[in-house]
Amino acid sequence: VRAINNCDTEDPARACYGEFSELQLFTVRDPRTPLPPSAPRRDSRTGIRTLNEAAIHLSWTPPVDNGGSPITGYILYMRDPNGAVTNVVLGKETTTWIADSLRPGQVYRFHLVATNSLGRSGNSPTASILAANHPGFDYDGQAAYFDSNFRPDITDVQERSLTTKWSHLPANMSGGSPITGFKLYLYEDVRPTSQADSDPINLEVQQINFKSENDLSGTFTANFRGFETADIPIDASAEEVKFALEN
């Protein structure tokens, strides 16, 4: 392509030509069947509706090449866990679909075919999708595991260890797939004055008791976090014992 104008003031009929543009090649061919569409993708709305029913939300993009003839529709194929294949014919504007009444925790496989006036495309890549959701969400998609009823409880505290327990997820919060494990997070440097969920963290009360048939006298020492205290009088007060432990 090049531009033309009238550049001669003495001869208005004279045409002046600019430089040619860069060359662009085109291939002229007869229309053919389209290329396949993209693989179906799992939509975030996929999840469990009831204990025995799940739904998978799918979306896809049209073919990058319609073959020179407009896309007239799509055919979506689904293979269930037993190997049975079903399909649904969809309109040309449709790029989403919901497969419902599925079995939770089962894998379903989907692929697409695009059509135009010349016929069908090849198969899209197959998407294998688990009919399940992330654990901890209820049937309404709400994050129910954050409820305080599922908070870990500390059942025992030792000098260098602690024991904790927590509740297992109920069926309506498993996401429709068996729970394979838990990840427990431990945060260091929690001060005694800190608060979590408005429940104060209280100082642990330690007691030192001596039993003897005779009267006791003298001093004793205590081992604390690998260190031995200085001599502590047997009749020391709680404040004196605390001072020895802290110093």
Side-chain angles (χ1 to χ4, degrees), residues 39-54:
R41 298 183 299 273
R42 177 189 184 276
D43 190 291
S44 61
R45 292 169 294 177
T46 293
I48 308 302
R49 292 181 173 175
T50 68
L51 182 62
N52 300 308
E53 182 183 356

Side-chain angles (χ1 to χ4, degrees), residues 21-175:
S21 68
E22 292 185 6
L23 185 66
Q24 178 67 49
L25 298 178
F26 294 91
T27 300
V28 179
R29 57 172 171 76
D30 292 330
R32 57 175 176 76
T33 57
L35 292 180
S38 70
R41 298 183 299 273
R42 177 189 184 276
D43 190 291
S44 61
R45 292 169 294 177
T46 293
I48 308 302
R49 292 181 173 175
T50 68
L51 182 62
N52 300 308
E53 182 183 356
I56 293 177
H57 291 240
L58 301 169
S59 63
W60 59 90
T61 54
V64 296
D65 184 352
N66 64 7
S69 179
I71 298 296
T72 57
Y74 299 94
I75 306 173
L76 175 65
Y77 292 86
M78 181 183 77
R79 182 184 295 272
D80 69 18
N82 297 323
V85 178
T86 57
N87 68 79
V88 57
V89 179
L90 305 170
K92 61 182 180 181
E93 303 295 334
T94 303
T95 55
T96 61
W97 183 254
I98 302 173
D100 53 15
S101 299
L102 307 180
R103 285 182 288 166
Q106 300 296 314
V107 175
Y108 293 81
R109 293 173 172 81
F110 301 87
H111 73 269
L112 283 158
V113 168
T115 61
N116 65 7
S117 60
L118 280 298
R120 299 157 45 112
S121 71
N123 293 343
S124 74
T126 298
S128 298
I129 301 175
L130 182 68
N133 196 6
H134 296 292
F137 292 84
D138 60 21
Y139 295 144
D140 296 324
Q142 302 300 314
Y145 198 48
F146 297 132
D147 189 286
S148 60
N149 292 329
F150 299 103
R151 183 175 57 190
D153 292 322
I154 296 176
T155 59
D156 183 55
V157 177
Q158 300 296 325
E159 182 178 341
R160 295 183 179 274
S161 66
L162 59 83
T163 303
T164 183
K165 69 175 183 178
W166 56 89
S167 300
H168 203 282
L169 283 173
N172 69 318
M173 280 191 270
S174 69

Side-chain angles (χ1 to χ4, degrees), residues 217-236:
S217 62
T219 61
F220 69 94
T221 62
N223 243 310
F224 182 61
R225 295 182 177 176
F227 297 94
E228 186 175 8
T229 67
D231 289 342
I232 304 172
I234 197 68
D235 57 350

